[in-house]
Amino acid sequence: MSVASSRAFEYLEELPGTGFRRLYKQPSTALAIFRRMLPHLAKAFVMAMLYMSKPLPSTDLDAWQTARLTETGPTGSMLTIRSEREQALSMLNRLHILTVASDPGQPQTLKLTNPFAQSLSRALTGGGDHQSFGVPCEVPDKHQVDLDFLDAFARSQWEGILHYMVGSTGLSGDGAGEGPSQGVTKLLQLGGLVEVKGRRVEITQAGFSFLLQEVNAQIWSLLIFYVKHAKDLNMDDVEVLSFLFMLGSLELGQDYSIATLTATQIQLLDDLGDFGIIYRRKSSSRRFYPTRLATTLTSDSGALRSVRAGFDDAVRATDGRGFVIIETNYRVYAYTSSPLQIAVLSLFTRLSTRYPNMVSGRITRESIRRAIGTGITSDQIISYLSTHAHPQMRKTPPVLPPTVVDQIRLWQIEGERMKATSGFLFKEWGSQAEYERTCRYAEEIGVLVWKSDGKRLFFATRVEQLRAFLKGRSGRTEGGR
């Protein structure tokens, strides 16, 4: 299962049974989950039972296992096959696709749930007036747009979000070249991908991991954040999910009517436009166009493959399109003109020179510590450099100089080894007894951090209570005199 599918699957597992029943009433949703989330063996079980009029005895599955073991020969293992079967059945059960019934003295029986079976059958054979695969507009659009325009729009919107995350756009973006809309920026904060400190946007560790994912996984991550907060927007989360699954079945370049959409789904269109997932010429338009980001939601095809500045290739490092060269003296040369890639490099590199098609700089202790301070880990930095390494560096392994890799990790360990604590140093005591009494009191109230009995020094995080303690001891001493 891909990363994007895992995101959606984890959320679906949390839904109650009533939520699944509502979802599966739409053939587009049943087909999307069947295509996108089920392993091959689970799909085989579903197709075998889809048109059965009676439940399937579990003994028949045992017979299939025996036949499969015979086909695989010595390479097959009954234990492995049984494990695969249990995993497939478990996933079908967790997605409320399969029910298992057992009667005393009878073998267990398996049956597909309804409405999943009915909806999947309709999706595969056609027919019905469910209109769950969208309603194409019959009247031609006076402002018809082509695929190049839709790709450019989706690219612009999505790159605006990534630029905002790495801090290369302002806080008050309106989605028109200055940055994403206020709703998108709020979602990024709720998802823990960025933190806003004053007028500065700082990417978090989760945000940097987000950048390293393929575009499809990035989209699903944001959409799951959106669904989780749908109720805060007075939206039905099941209707939102159903509409997202429907988008994956639409045809790129075709305009669709909003006449059959619910109020929740119409409200959703504006937010999806901010993501670049759909295009509407204006908010009052009665039609919308799905972009490539939408039509790849429920498929294994990548989104925006032509976008060099995107991060869809971040986990596929062998395609020869790397652009980073790093030397043993920590000098970095990046052959790119993409503002987004340059902004990402600046998160952990001190850039010094910029040419039309190249930037150069140096990895320093300060630049790595700054990145680690925002939550980015040394392993993430090393992974990014390895992923985007220039083809010239791949000719002789290891890809990255070991001295650079080791030093980046040591700089992180150094930061973890040393921890700054604000407080007060107490010294120059009148007597050893006074030092010991005060130090013991500081330990009792939980403010003592460090002490040196030999030098009669100790360090504490708070001073108010210690000051009162010392004054009280001084008053009692004077009174006794």
Side-chain angles (χ1 to χ4, degrees):
M1 187 184 296
S2 66
V3 175
S5 298
S6 298
R7 294 277 190 278
F9 179 77
E10 290 169 4
Y11 180 79
L12 285 173
E13 273 194 303
E14 300 173 1
L15 287 179
T18 54
F20 277 101
R21 283 192 290 273
R22 290 180 58 200
L23 270 178
Y24 292 154
K25 287 181 180 178
Q26 299 296 327
S28 57
T29 301
L31 181 62
I33 291 177
F34 173 79
R35 291 175 53 197
R36 183 72 178 179
M37 297 185 185
L38 300 185
H40 293 301
L41 186 57
K43 290 179 180 178
F45 289 163
V46 170
M47 292 306 299
M49 292 184 282
L50 184 58
Y51 298 104
M52 285 185 176
S53 57
K54 297 180 180 180
L56 176 71
S58 59
T59 51
D60 287 3
L61 285 184
D62 296 335
W64 291 354
Q65 275 189 321
T66 304
R68 189 178 172 203
L69 183 63
T70 304
E71 293 174 0
T72 55
T75 60
S77 164
M78 179 59 75
L79 183 62
T80 301
I81 292 176
R82 182 176 292 125
S83 174
E84 291 176 355
R85 186 189 80 167
E86 294 306 318
Q87 290 177 8
L89 293 178
S90 173
M91 180 168 288
L92 292 174
N93 187 51
R94 287 148 66 191
L95 289 173
H96 292 252
I97 294 175
L98 186 73
T99 58
V100 180
S102 57
D103 295 324
Q106 299 293 328
Q108 287 185 334
T109 58
L110 311 175
K111 185 179 180 180
L112 296 183
T113 60
N114 276 319
F116 179 85
Q118 293 177 350
S119 294
L120 182 60
S121 178
R122 287 182 181 178
L124 296 176
T125 60
D129 56 354
H130 47 81
Q131 298 178 331
S132 72
F133 291 96
V135 179
C137 291
E138 297 179 357
V139 180
D141 189 359
K142 296 179 181 179
H143 306 278
Q144 183 76 28
V145 296
D146 56 16
L147 297 184
D148 290 339
F149 176 88
L150 292 175
D151 284 343
F153 171 78
R155 183 181 307 123
S156 174
Q157 296 296 98
W158 193 251
E159 284 190 347
I161 295 174
L162 300 183
H163 277 291
Y164 174 83
M165 290 182 62
V166 297
S168 58
T169 57
L171 290 177
S172 57
D174 59 3
E178 296 181 3
S181 67
Q182 186 176 1
V184 174
T185 59
K186 184 67 174 177
L187 186 64
L188 294 174
Q189 294 176 56
L190 290 174
L193 302 180
V194 297
E195 293 179 354
V196 177
K197 299 180 179 180
R199 298 289 298 172
R200 189 175 73 255
V201 179
E202 290 187 359
I203 191 170
T204 64
Q205 179 179 341
F208 197 80
S209 298
F210 175 88
L211 292 182
L212 295 178
Q213 297 173 1
E214 60 171 337
V215 172
N216 206 292
Q218 290 175 348
I219 295 170
W220 269 113
S221 295
L222 276 188
L223 291 178
I224 292 302
F225 293 147
Y226 186 93
V227 174
K228 287 181 177 179
H229 293 91
K231 291 183 179 179
D232 298 335
L233 302 173
N234 296 321
M235 301 173 71
D236 188 327
D237 55 345
V238 174
E239 287 190 9
V240 172
L241 265 178
S242 179
F243 187 72
L244 295 178
F245 284 124
M246 183 200 76
L247 286 176
S249 65
L250 302 185
E251 181 182 349
L252 182 64
Q254 172 67 52
D255 54 335
Y256 291 86
S257 171
I258 68 171
T260 59
L261 301 184
T262 65
T264 291
Q265 293 169 345
I266 292 176
Q267 180 184 349
L268 177 62
L269 287 178
D270 290 334
D271 295 325
L272 293 181
D274 293 335
F275 295 137
I277 295 176
I278 65 102
Y279 168 76
R280 294 173 81 191
R281 194 171 65 87
K282 53 185 180 180
S283 58
S284 59
S285 177
R286 303 295 297 172
R287 67 182 74 217
F288 70 93
Y289 291 84
T291 68
R292 202 177 301 274
L293 294 178
T295 57
T296 56
L297 279 175
T298 57
S299 72
D300 293 325
S301 301
L304 301 182
R305 289 183 178 275
S306 61
V307 185
R308 184 183 178 189
F311 283 81
D312 52 335
D313 296 316
V315 294
R316 295 188 295 275
T318 58
D319 57 1
R321 285 184 280 179
F323 57 88
V324 177
I325 290 179
I326 183 168
E327 299 177 336
T328 54
N329 60 359
Y330 307 100
R331 292 286 301 177
V332 176
Y333 303 91
Y335 292 88
T336 179
S337 58
S338 164
L340 180 59
Q341 297 287 16
I342 294 171
V344 173
L345 279 173
S346 69
L347 293 175
F348 56 85
T349 307
R350 191 185 69 185
L351 299 179
S352 56
T353 309
R354 181 167 181 173
Y355 299 100
N357 65 338
M358 186 191 78
V359 294
S360 65
R362 184 186 296 272
I363 290 179
T364 65
R365 178 179 179 271
E366 290 73 20
S367 66
I368 295 297
R369 293 290 300 278
R370 184 180 68 246
I372 291 171
T374 63
I376 300 171
T377 67
S378 59
D379 287 338
Q380 287 177 319
I381 294 172
I382 293 167
S383 174
Y384 180 87
L385 292 172
S386 300
T387 295
H388 294 282
H390 193 280
Q392 197 69 24
M393 296 191 65
R394 300 184 181 283
K395 292 183 177 180
T396 54
V399 176
L400 300 180
T403 54
V404 175
V405 172
D406 293 342
Q407 188 60 63
I408 291 175
R409 290 200 170 103
L410 286 173
W411 279 329
Q412 176 170 351
I413 295 173
E414 179 184 81
E416 294 173 347
R417 187 174 57 208
M418 300 175 62
K419 181 179 179 181
T421 303
S422 58
F424 305 87
L425 180 65
F426 292 80
K427 59 182 181 178
E428 299 179 1
W429 299 94
S431 66
Q432 180 71 19
E434 184 182 21
Y435 161 77
E436 291 177 352
R437 281 194 302 267
T438 312
C439 185
R440 185 166 54 250
Y441 178 72
E443 188 173 8
E444 288 174 356
I445 63 176
V447 298
L448 181 67
V449 176
W450 169 86
K451 67 177 181 177
S452 173
D453 293 334
K455 297 180 180 180
R456 294 205 297 198
L457 299 173
F458 74 82
F459 186 83
T461 56
R462 302 294 297 273
V463 71
E464 294 84 0
Q465 291 171 285
L466 294 176
R467 184 186 293 120
F469 176 79
L470 290 171
K471 285 184 178 179
R473 293 291 305 178
S474 176
R476 284 195 292 273
T477 304
E478 292 176 359
R481 291 177 182 175

